[in-house]
Amino acid sequence: MIRWSRRFSGNARAGLIPPAMLVGAKGLGLIEMTALGLPVPPGFILTTDVCREYFGNNRRLPSGLEAEVVREMQWLESETGKVFGGTGTPLLVSVRSGAPSSMPGMLDTVLNLGMNEQTARRLAAAGTGESLAWDSYCRFIRMYGEVVLGLDAVDAPTDAVAGPEAAAALIEVVNRDSETPFPTDPWGQLWGAVLAVLDSWRSRRATTYRRLHDIPDAEGTAVTVQAMVFGNAGAESATGVAFSRDPSTGDPAPFGEYIRDAQGDDVVSGIRTPAPLRGGPESLEQVMPESYAELCAAFRLLERHTGAMQDVEFTIERGKLWLLQTRTGVTSTEAGLRIAVDMQAEGLLSREQALLRLNPASLGRVLHPSVRADLPRTILTRGLPASPGAASGLVALSSDEAEALAADGKPAVLVLSETHPRDVHGVHAAAAVLTARGGATSHAALVARGAGRPCVVGAGDIVVDVAGGSFRVGNVLVKRGDVVTIDGSSGEVSAGALELEQPQLSRSFATVLEWADDIRRLGVRANTASPGDVDTARLLGAEAIGLFRTEYSFLGPESLAEIQSMLLATDDGRRRRALVALEPLQRAAYRDLFTRAKGLPVTIRLLDLALSEFLPKTADEIAAAAEAAGISAQEAAARVAARSEANPALGHRGCRLAISQPDLYAVQVRAILAEAHAADSAPQILVPMVASAREFEAVRTAVADTAESLRDETGAAARYSVGASIELPRAVMQAARIADTADFFSIGTNNLTQTSFGVSRDDAAAFLERYRAAEHFAGDPFSTLDIDGVGALLEIAVERGRSTKPNLEIGVCGEHGGDPESIRFFNSVGLDYVSCSPYRVPAARLAAAQATLKGR
Amino acid sequence: MIRWSRRFSGNARAGLIPPAMLVGAKGLGLIEMTALGLPVPPGFILTTDVCREYFGNNRRLPSGLEAEVVREMQWLESETGKVFGGTGTPLLVSVRSGAPSSMPGMLDTVLNLGMNEQTARRLAAAGTGESLAWDSYCRFIRMYGEVVLGLDAVDAPTDAVAGPEAAAALIEVVNRDSETPFPTDPWGQLWGAVLAVLDSWRSRRATTYRRLHDIPDAEGTAVTVQAMVFGNAGAESATGVAFSRDPSTGDPAPFGEYIRDAQGDDVVSGIRTPAPLRGGPESLEQVMPESYAELCAAFRLLERHTGAMQDVEFTIERGKLWLLQTRTGVTSTEAGLRIAVDMQAEGLLSREQALLRLNPASLGRVLHPSVRADLPRTILTRGLPASPGAASGLVALSSDEAEALAADGKPAVLVLSETHPRDVHGVHAAAAVLTARGGATSHAALVARGAGRPCVVGAGDIVVDVAGGSFRVGNVLVKRGDVVTIDGSSGEVSAGALELEQPQLSRSFATVLEWADDIRRLGVRANTASPGDVDTARLLGAEAIGLFRTEYSFLGPESLAEIQSMLLATDDGRRRRALVALEPLQRAAYRDLFTRAKGLPVTIRLLDLALSEFLPKTADEIAAAAEAAGISAQEAAARVAARSEANPALGHRGCRLAISQPDLYAVQVRAILAEAHAADSAPQILVPMVASAREFEAVRTAVADTAESLRDETGAAARYSVGASIELPRAVMQAARIADTADFFSIGTNNLTQTSFGVSRDDAAAFLERYRAAEHFAGDPFSTLDIDGVGALLEIAVERGRSTKPNLEIGVCGEHGGDPESIRFFNSVGLDYVSCSPYRVPAARLAAAQATLKGR
């Protein structure tokens, strides 16, 4: 027989710890805290099996569950000495969701369950106090009405009344608006709440969240039923949210907020602005020093047990601390790095454990730009700095507006009075977020941190007028579409688009990446498209320039004019003159490259543009190019038209151009080799779009001929190697033959994905999102390598290439080289290195180390 | 020690027959004829090893060769009783090229070698006659000057002189124009001629010919040195070219031409118009009946020995027949078929041998259109019908002009006074060929027949004026660019473009294909794009419609308007109305298909167009579509622009459209199934551009849903199967998973080639020819399957697909399905069928039979 539930109680002996997949992350935290001897109110957990059965059986609860819940409630009565729905001291419970994966705020919770008028009166009579009893009852009616009965908002006609009148008025509102009347029977309340929590698993916002975070629908949520404790039991009571360290900076002291005489939801929802745990006369440290000390001790125990920064919910009921939840806290990337380094130093984690804790994809966030401190600015307001980084954008006053702007490719700053869980998509779509209310642990802050968006919360002096299309700060009016800048590190909100600057990288950042470099097997290089990128690549720890794209060096106005003249000219003299004019421009580009590379190895890809991309487009451009080429505009237009391509991605480009325009490539190769010789560098020359061994050999021979003539003419004997870009499926199949003469392979996974799927990167948007939603494709194959298809081809290329040359150097130069999941695959198939854009180099270094550790 | 030569002589015992690769096809023919006892003047052959050594060693002759040639010449002197370059009866020789592969007229030949003034006088004195001696000497001086010394043309200042004066005048011309003086020493002549023949292997025209016919450069040519016999020895002498059967019709009687008192080159070059072998008082049969009978007997012997129609050169010297060359003759396709069937009936060949003799690629030629006999026409002139079929085109007066027209996509009729070997490329480029001079065995006729171009030769009343840009027939002037029609079957040349009609297929054609059908394992189906194609496919023996492209059914003006309205409409009502309007149009298309298919199985591919291809293009079209869709022209233009694609071949097309526009595909599927049910046909429904198993399954499910709703609504329970088009490399890698739910695979090799190579069919022309010339690609991968790359992927698809379903039906529906070389590969990897365009079905049937025979 299936056991549908698991118990936890400080009175009971600790049993086997069940897996999170069964009791949810929150449930597991409660069971673990109980086992560690921490103060947790007793309760029991309906496992995720219940949720799966429920949805698998057309939303019917499994048979046997009812009897089991009755037994568990009887047990809870005996644990607490209270009575559920009978006479005696009333047992009130919370009913909370809790999935195996963290889904903050996405699922439903009901507090104070078990209350009705009789209960309230008994509670008041039991010496708990009138105020607590009726406040709790009112809270319960509202929450039940909203969460279980699905009403928009349950508000009494007037706030003036209190006590029994207020409760009666609220029940009247509920019964007026709801099809189902408010259940006064606690058992009816309990089953209603359980079903509501289960149903919340399939709500739109929860489903969206799971899709964004790749959480399987089949996981399901557990349901925790736990004895209530009361933070709203007067001045000696409080409720709060606390982190064992500062989630924004990583500072190793408890950080958080609390509200006196309140219940948990008041903090999380951001409706009341809370007081801090530490610092100032209102802080918990000052007001309730014993509870604060107990909380600190609990954190030390929890961190030693979990090796991670903890995020807890606590309640103080008349001076007694209770922990209601613990989980590994979400931190800013910078804080995560600092905590990892600190915890390693404190002996809580090994280096390897610390590395595995970090999320490589988030590393790019500390590279986000910040506002330049030395420049004047118009500060509109200040709020709480809730997610670091800075961004400018157009003011959007709803999540939908932010999404619409993002869809148009425009940066949006989402400005809201307060955020609701339904705003998740808006926060993701926005470049930055600003809210008038809420604290650093509000939904907005949490989601923004998770998404790496700069965020300022609790900017209390702004007034948002959605209908009016603006927000006001004092007497300044900021309209929808105006540009503002959000600094999520300082909390400043400024008018206009401020100049941003690159961040200083922290010591923790450097330390973590040094650890990663010690461990990883896979090399990490950088893809660069201009000499400026080379500086960034060096700064961020690339060990080589894995791909230097040379197209930019041909597309400057001077070079472009010469190339157009060369392509359009009909007499050989003019063509030759254009080539002569190109040479110094080319040499300057590579001189700059080698100077900036400062000895880093460099892979230079030969020109890889479609011929059609060089040609003039407008009538004016054509006329100018025609004059330079010494032909009529009409003739030039005809030649341009003749060279237009139906599918430039599959056109006259890459090494096809090297074969049809050998003199142009000779100029490039000569410039590369001459500057390489001068810089004493031995570049790896990469031949793009290779489809056959013969064409690669032809280009290779042409490179050698150019090198020879350079040596004969100038004595400059540059060292170099020549490799093939493997980016076409045919090259994969022919890898053994290509490896005969290739010194190295560089696998161009962007193009290999394009050709394998037959999907153009430029055109995929029209259907790709639909495909991802329907899971026709596992994800966006241009972001994370499609291991089943493109990965299978890549493995063939590696195997065949190394069947010819066992030590053949093989790297990846597509943007997949910066994607952690893809890196794990690249590591597993024995590639030598990945090369990605400079800003993704740190993530790649960490991901490569994790791949090594996971592979052990 | 290497033997550089091989001998043949009627006096010697037949030794081991050497391979053609060593002595060339011509040399082998001489050795074989000698072995059969046929009259062949003695000689020896320098093997192709000499040629390879010569070019491999920087054009130096191998050591040891000189001594060997001296020995062989001494042997030849003793065989003939004549003396080379000494006193006594002079030994004259011919020096001829002869490659292993036939390269008619491409390589050089020198006749009458060994002559100088002394020899001529001795020859005259030896009773040979003054005329023969000096005529031969003059011929030799001209030929040597042109072939060996490289002069353009050697003509005496006046034709009036003859005998020694003419020879002296010619030598004076040679010595005036040439850097090297005319060698009077026979040995000097011999070495000069040998080197000239070897050098001709690398001439531009020979290199071009080899490229066109896929003959490796490394084959090399042999050089035959053979004792001369003289067709120019007076009225009892003659020279001619003869086929054992009519090469144009296959009629089983000798066919050919001869000229009395002439040497061989006079016939082949077309300078003198010859008399026929049979028919009429001038014929060889009438004039020299004994020689004619001896020739017929030789043919019977040769045909029995070779099992093939023979093409011989002969000389009659004073009544004695000599055979100078034999080879398997080039025939028209129709003649080839008839000869194969006749020879099988005559017991010369088995069916299998007969099938293997035929060239499948040529079969399409008998399907060429001909001039409708019943229509009036303006006949300009008549010539000899030299290559069957008819074509119209623009008059081109040089091969370069014909090439330029062809490059512009225009049909050219190449009109020349006479053809030279250098005109090969012009004949290939032209749609048809017309010459003023030459016979049915002239170069023009030979090359045109090989290339399948209609050709009329010897139209003696036309006068070509290249400089004037016209030709004249009587008083009619036809200018460059005027349109004429050539009927290569009747010899008629008509003004303008005549209406052409489809050929009646001969009994031989049917017989050969019946034999092929009995033998082949591979199925042959037809690709069709319209119901009209279905008729042709049935006529030409397709056993099924392997691919019915449905795009045409959506692109008719009525359908297109509805689709545009559907794609542009913003309100659902209008979209639905468009879909409703499409249904009867769709049903009519498939009703027609099933009616014409007359029970043939049919594979119907679901709509495979890029979404962008449906959209209106011009401003007028956009305005019209906007009105139909009920939106503004501006909005329509914006929507059209938003849907334009950078690379439509990799865009929103194929089953991606089935997923994004499910209602459109539902209309199509419903129409197919309703008509299939009415016709009691069980169509195979093909899903295009499948990249993942999930998307295939989604389309398959949608088809099933449509079938179910059709059955529920109308009771029509159509039988059908659903298969995947494997045309993307990712589908290849995922073939095992796709086969889980696919009933069959159809491999789209056109698109698989496009994506594997990363080469767009539409854009490849810009570089493909250069690639083929440089052999970077083995051939045009869109014509003949690239076995190493695309073929390797195809094998993976077959292997993985059948790992899931061992009996999975797999066919090919790319145009490679009609290419004989590709068919051999498809047969070898176990495909079930090929499907190609209707006109290629006969070739595919024959090629499939050959593949079976070769695989045994």
Side-chain angles (χ1 to χ4, degrees), chain B residues 518-556:
Chain B
D518 284 347
I519 284 171
R520 68 186 162 87
R521 181 194 66 73
L522 206 58
V524 177
R525 305 184 182 180
N527 299 340
T528 58
S530 73
D533 285 356
V534 175
D535 301 340
T536 311
R538 286 174 45 76
L539 178 74
L540 297 178
E543 53 196 56
I545 305 305
L547 175 64
F548 184 75
R549 300 187 171 99
T550 56
E551 289 70 42
Y552 90 98
S553 74
F554 289 91
L555 292 174

Side-chain angles (χ1 to χ4, degrees), chain A residues 144 148-149 171 174-184 188-189:
Chain A
Y144 196 93
V148 180
L149 302 178
I171 286 181
V174 168
N175 288 344
R176 182 195 68 201
D177 294 348
S178 163
E179 287 176 20
T180 317
F182 177 79
T184 51
Q189 293 170 1

